[in-house]
Amino acid sequence: MAEVMTDLGIGDILAQFGIDPVNSGASTGEYWLNTSGEKIESISPVDGKVIATVNSGTESDYEAVVLKAQEAFLLWRKWTAPARGEVVRQLATKLREYKEPLGKLVSYEMGKSLQEGLGEVQEMIDICDFAVGLSRQLHGLTMHSERPGHRMYEQYHPLGIVGIISAFNFPVAVWNWNTALAWVCGDVCVWKPSEKSPITALVCQQITKEVFAANGVPEGVSGLVIGGAEIGKRMAEDKRVPLVSATGSTRMGKSVSAAVGARLGTSLLELGGNNAIIITPTADLKIVLPGAVFGAVGTGGQRCTSTRRLIIHEDVYDVFVSAIVNAYGQLKVGNPLDETNHVGPLIDHDSVNMYLSALEKAKDEGGNILVEGGVYEGKGYESGCYVKPAIVEAKNTYEIVQHETFAPILYIMKYSGSVENAIAIQNNVPQGLSSAIMTNSLKESEAFLACTGSDCGIANVNIGTSGAEIGGAFGGEKETGGGRESGSDAWKVYMRRQTNTINYTDSLPLAQGIKFEL
């Protein structure tokens, strides 16, 4: 068993939220339940110490949470949307109050830098603010009927239970991307967080409980079941869950999609990325360097939007490669709670092995290592999860390059000729999440954004691939799954659409002029 964490002030944070670091005894429900499920140790990749131990949810736990959610939905859907929005507004206020301790816990449990942990909580606050405004704008359309004396319009109604399967890399923000919108839409939520980051999930439930209880929100509007793939499988197959929002690997997404589709449910999928930055001859080095380096090493390369590939024009290839290699030499890898460090650990030893395997495969396929990888050892690296950000000169056709490796490995490749050649290279992977071009040419930027340009759900000009603003819809195409979360009109997936026709005459004319007389 790993050593139980006692320092860094994390114990005080856990106590603040009522979590016993030895055994929280909690895994399901808006109000914590003791369960008999298998124990899960949450081990921090920062120092290899146990944060807390939780019980995983059993089949009966899952059933209890879903039944409670069904009951809650019958009441919650009757609340007006602005009233639901007011509850979410108060949640945003509470998150502001808890931003520092929750952000620190995110950093410690997941391994991302403290600033990124705080930034993730800020994303939660931002989406709540967005949802509050949205609660007064759940609008449909009105149409002119082809029949005289008739009126047509569309409206949106709550769906019911929204199942949320989230990944370890954004252990709290992605949950809130879904819940904030789902709640103002009148839905209730059941959450299966990653078993690699259960403690932050428990804290989110505690914060939510505090706000919901103060407002008389029905118990069951926010449900939680901690567990492994079997819980996600059960959720995907459950006909009582009309929408399953799943974030994770493409392999996982295909499994969820098949199960949900088999029962004609709806799945919102946010899956793998293989994101590229195109660097053209007119690109500004001052913009390229921070965009490319943070995109590749931020969160230890464990973002779905992490930069995996740099596609550089041959005329500026040597200059930019030299600059990026030099920038990597300045990176500091270490405890993510120390703000002088740029890169923290990978989530666990399995991820480290996957990183090492990818580097070996890249070498086997002919890749030229420009910045050596490897695992850090010694004082401060006792967890065994700290790895060296690596750069590999490669070809886009390498099998390993075609796959997403959740680690700080950056593949660099060269293109010649027009920007269309670079776009073709960028698009020639199975994934289609995020993309970027660095250029000062209007023609190149417009070609990149045209329908014949980037095939990704996100296409940026002169910013990197990593990260996104709350106001825009987030998601990608191809093996990224096609889902959209967060801003714009992403709220519509959380509601059912209904067309209404009202006849205010004394006769019954039929559509298309059909005559039917008795």
Side-chain angles (χ1 to χ4, degrees), residues 489-508:
D489 65 350
W491 63 270
K492 291 182 179 179
V493 76
Y494 301 94
M495 306 196 81
R496 61 181 178 88
R497 185 173 180 169
Q498 185 181 79
T499 300
N500 307 114
T501 306
I502 300 170
N503 177 5
Y504 56 89
T505 73
D506 296 325
S507 60
L508 184 62

Side-chain angles (χ1 to χ4, degrees), residues 327-392:
Y328 266 54
Q330 302 172 49
L331 291 174
K332 295 180 180 179
V333 179
N335 188 325
L337 297 177
D338 180 346
E339 295 186 59
T340 64
N341 290 324
H342 301 107
V343 185
L346 297 184
I347 187 66
D348 57 20
H349 295 150
D350 287 341
S351 293
V352 172
N353 291 334
M354 188 165 49
Y355 155 86
L356 293 172
S357 176
L359 285 176
E360 285 303 312
K361 289 178 181 176
K363 292 178 185 178
D364 291 344
E365 292 191 69
N368 178 31
I369 306 299
L370 299 179
V371 175
E372 286 285 347
V375 182
Y376 283 97
E377 298 177 350
K379 185 175 175 57
Y381 303 118
E382 290 86 355
S383 71
C385 294
Y386 292 87
V387 302
K388 301 174 183 178
I391 298 179
V392 182

Side-chain angles (χ1 to χ4, degrees), residues 177-256:
W177 282 7
N178 285 276
T179 54
L181 298 190
W183 287 333
V184 299
C185 289
D187 298 322
V188 299
C189 298
V190 175
W191 180 22
K192 191 208 89 65
S194 169
E195 60 271 35
K196 297 181 181 182
S197 54
I199 308 306
T200 46
L202 292 177
V203 169
C204 286
Q205 287 298 96
Q206 284 295 88
I207 296 172
T208 303
K209 167 191 169 182
E210 189 175 341
V211 174
F212 280 18
N215 286 273
V217 173
E219 183 182 351
V221 170
S222 179
L224 173 69
V225 185
I226 291 173
E230 70 283 352
I231 297 295
K233 182 175 184 294
R234 186 169 182 80
M235 183 183 289
E237 295 173 348
D238 195 339
K239 293 181 179 179
R240 297 168 296 180
V241 183
L243 172 64
V244 176
S245 175
T247 303
S249 68
T250 296
R251 177 188 55 78
M252 179 276 291
K254 288 180 178 179
S255 175
V256 169

Side-chain angles (χ1 to χ4, degrees), residues 259-280:
V260 175
R263 60 179 174 84
L264 298 182
T266 301
S267 55
L268 192 170
L269 302 176
E270 297 289 356
L271 311 176
N274 197 344
N275 317 295
I277 297 177
I278 296 172
I279 302 174
T280 73

Side-chain angles (χ1 to χ4, degrees), residues 62-138:
Y62 173 83
E63 188 66 19
V65 170
V66 171
L67 289 175
K68 181 63 71 174
Q70 285 184 302
E71 294 173 5
F73 175 62
L74 300 179
L75 302 172
W76 183 239
R77 66 181 178 179
K78 294 180 182 179
W79 287 44
T80 65
R84 298 189 294 255
E86 168 59 19
V87 175
V88 173
R89 185 195 67 78
Q90 292 181 36
L91 178 59
T93 299
K94 190 63 65 175
L95 288 169
R96 287 180 171 90
E97 179 183 333
Y98 289 130
K99 178 178 177 179
E100 184 173 351
L102 179 54
K104 190 172 185 180
L105 183 59
V106 167
S107 177
Y108 186 65
E109 185 171 38
M110 186 268 144
K112 63 176 60 176
S113 72
L114 179 57
Q115 285 304 312
E116 289 182 81
L118 295 171
E120 183 168 348
V121 181
Q122 186 61 50
E123 281 192 47
M124 301 173 75
I125 295 167
D126 293 344
I127 193 63
C128 284
D129 288 349
F130 178 89
V132 172
L134 179 65
S135 68
R136 295 181 180 273
Q137 300 181 72
L138 300 175

Side-chain angles (χ1 to χ4, degrees), residues 219-500:
E219 183 182 351
V221 170
S222 179
L224 173 69
V225 185
I226 291 173
E230 70 283 352
I231 297 295
K233 182 175 184 294
R234 186 169 182 80
M235 183 183 289
E237 295 173 348
D238 195 339
K239 293 181 179 179
R240 297 168 296 180
V241 183
L243 172 64
V244 176
S245 175
T247 303
S249 68
T250 296
R251 177 188 55 78
M252 179 276 291
K254 288 180 178 179
S255 175
V256 169
S257 178
V260 175
R263 60 179 174 84
L264 298 182
T266 301
S267 55
L268 192 170
L269 302 176
E270 297 289 356
L271 311 176
N274 197 344
N275 317 295
I277 297 177
I278 296 172
I279 302 174
T280 73
T282 64
D284 187 337
L285 185 61
K286 299 191 303 293
I287 293 176
V288 171
L289 275 184
V293 175
F294 176 75
V297 307
T299 324
Q302 296 171 114
R303 292 185 178 214
C304 52
T305 56
S306 290
T307 304
R308 309 289 177 201
R309 298 172 293 147
L310 291 187
I311 306 169
I312 309 174
H313 193 274
E314 60 182 358
D315 289 352
V316 292
Y317 187 83
D318 291 340
V319 171
F320 280 99
V321 169
S322 176
I324 289 166
V325 169
N326 180 63
Y328 266 54
Q330 302 172 49
L331 291 174
K332 295 180 180 179
V333 179
N335 188 325
L337 297 177
D338 180 346
E339 295 186 59
T340 64
N341 290 324
H342 301 107
V343 185
L346 297 184
I347 187 66
D348 57 20
H349 295 150
D350 287 341
S351 293
V352 172
N353 291 334
M354 188 165 49
Y355 155 86
L356 293 172
S357 176
L359 285 176
E360 285 303 312
K361 289 178 181 176
K363 292 178 185 178
D364 291 344
E365 292 191 69
N368 178 31
I369 306 299
L370 299 179
V371 175
E372 286 285 347
V375 182
Y376 283 97
E377 298 177 350
K379 185 175 175 57
Y381 303 118
E382 290 86 355
S383 71
C385 294
Y386 292 87
V387 302
K388 301 174 183 178
I391 298 179
V392 182
E393 198 171 34
K395 295 181 179 179
N396 200 62
T397 52
Y398 289 177
E399 183 181 3
I400 190 60
V401 176
Q402 291 286 308
H403 294 279
E404 177 189 48
T405 301
F406 236 46
I409 301 175
L410 179 63
Y411 299 110
I412 293 184
M413 54 202 69
K414 186 184 298 185
Y415 82 96
S416 58
S418 70
V419 72
E420 283 77 12
N421 295 334
I423 293 170
I425 295 171
Q426 178 211 275
N427 292 346
N428 190 24
V429 291
Q431 308 84 1
L433 178 53
S434 187
S435 58
I437 187 171
M438 300 293 185
T439 181
N440 282 325
S441 164
L442 177 62
K443 289 183 178 180
E444 288 180 333
S445 64
E446 288 299 320
F448 181 72
L449 301 175
C451 64
T452 53
S454 171
D455 64 2
C456 296
I458 299 169
N460 299 325
V461 176
N462 290 332
I463 62 172
T465 65
S466 187
E469 295 183 29
I470 287 301
F474 179 89
E477 302 303 321
K478 301 190 296 187
E479 287 193 358
T480 302
R484 292 297 185 276
E485 292 175 323
S486 192
S488 186
D489 65 350
W491 63 270
K492 291 182 179 179
V493 76
Y494 301 94
M495 306 196 81
R496 61 181 178 88
R497 185 173 180 169
Q498 185 181 79
T499 300
N500 307 114

